[in-house]
Amino acid sequence: MSDRTLAGQFFDAAIGLLQRVRDEEADSIDAAGTLLADTVAAGGRLFAFGAGHSSLAAQDVVYRAGGLALMNLLTVPGAVGVDVVPATLGSALERVDGLASAVLDSSPLRAGDVLVIVSLSGRNALPVEMAMSARALGVKVIGVTSVAYATETTSRHVSGTYLKDHCDVVLDSKIAIGDAVLTLDTVPAPFAPASTVVTSALLQAVMATAAGSLSDRGIEPPLLRSGNVDGGHEWNGRVMEQYGDRIFYRH
């Protein structure tokens, strides 16, 4: 079997998953986008969080050309991305009880805000506690996860619950247990993970919905433009000045 064929199989798998979330999650995407628009219109702030590779989709909607300027990244030291050494420490931090509450206590999150939490498995202590604690503060939570994990794994949170159990809106990425979408008889482990492609697309669909919802209300969406387009920096400067009290990545 050629590498080209494997590449084609991966694209086919990713396209299939994208079609599934487009069709099966349409109502949830609309609900999530509407919630973001409601929050922007009401003067609230927007935040996104993900641990490990789940952070890639969260980062993808922060300070992004064509994206909402008000989306801020909520960071947990050592748990966002794979820049911590050893990388396994990041995975260990996801299982630490109390860490999410400590982060929220020192964050600008407050009642009336929205927090997007991305966690493929939704089973670790960090995302579960993050969702529970945020909702206790009066924050609305949008969870992006693979619901299948809740039926085939055990929770690592003391409550025995998953991220999906503590959300105002759940977006199901449809990713199978283990993430990888390809197998070969000659390769001992599954390979080619698709969660980043699908989760990023899900969140960009939500952002598009939010922008359209704001426009429908006669509110100009606070969008950023590319700094590599003439006039982009000036455009962004005006947006950041107008919404500066709700943009935290610029301080």
Side-chain angles (χ1 to χ4, degrees), residues 49-59 79 81 94 117-122 144 195-196 199 203:
F49 165 77
H53 288 95
S54 290
S55 73
L56 295 173
Q59 293 179 55
E94 290 186 61
I117 301 177
V118 186
S119 175
L120 177 59
S121 73
V144 189
S195 61
T196 302
T199 304
L203 280 182

Side-chain angles (χ1 to χ4, degrees), residues 39-216:
T39 304
V40 171
R45 294 89 57 81
L46 312 178
F47 296 84
F49 165 77
H53 288 95
S54 290
S55 73
L56 295 173
Q59 293 179 55
D60 191 48
V61 295
V62 176
Y63 189 53
R64 186 66 193 262
L68 293 175
L70 305 193
M71 184 61 72
N72 301 277
L73 188 67
L74 182 67
T75 59
V76 175
V80 178
V82 291
D83 55 335
V84 62
V85 178
T88 50
L89 175 59
S91 298
L93 289 172
E94 290 186 61
R95 302 172 192 173
V96 175
D97 292 325
L99 180 57
S101 297
V103 169
L104 288 178
D105 287 345
S106 60
S107 79
L109 270 166
R110 67 187 184 194
D113 294 344
V114 168
L115 174 60
V116 177
I117 301 177
V118 186
S119 175
L120 177 59
S121 73
R123 68 186 297 218
N124 287 312
L126 185 56
V128 175
E129 183 187 332
M130 185 79 73
M132 294 175 70
S133 299
R135 293 182 91 189
L137 292 173
V139 173
K140 298 290 187 182
V141 173
I142 298 171
V144 189
T145 187
S146 172
V147 172
Y149 274 84
T151 63
E152 300 183 43
T153 67
T154 56
S155 170
R156 289 174 174 152
H157 187 261
V158 64
S159 67
T161 60
Y162 296 78
L163 169 61
K164 71 175 184 64
D165 300 318
H166 305 285
C167 299
D168 296 278
V169 181
V170 175
L171 298 172
D172 183 3
S173 63
K174 315 294 182 181
I175 299 295
I177 306 296
D179 198 354
V181 295
L182 298 184
T183 58
L184 271 181
D185 292 342
T186 55
V187 178
F191 55 100
S195 61
T196 302
V197 173
V198 177
T199 304
S200 292
L202 258 175
L203 280 182
Q204 291 298 350
V206 170
M207 298 301 139
T209 302
S213 181
L214 286 167
S215 178
D216 288 344

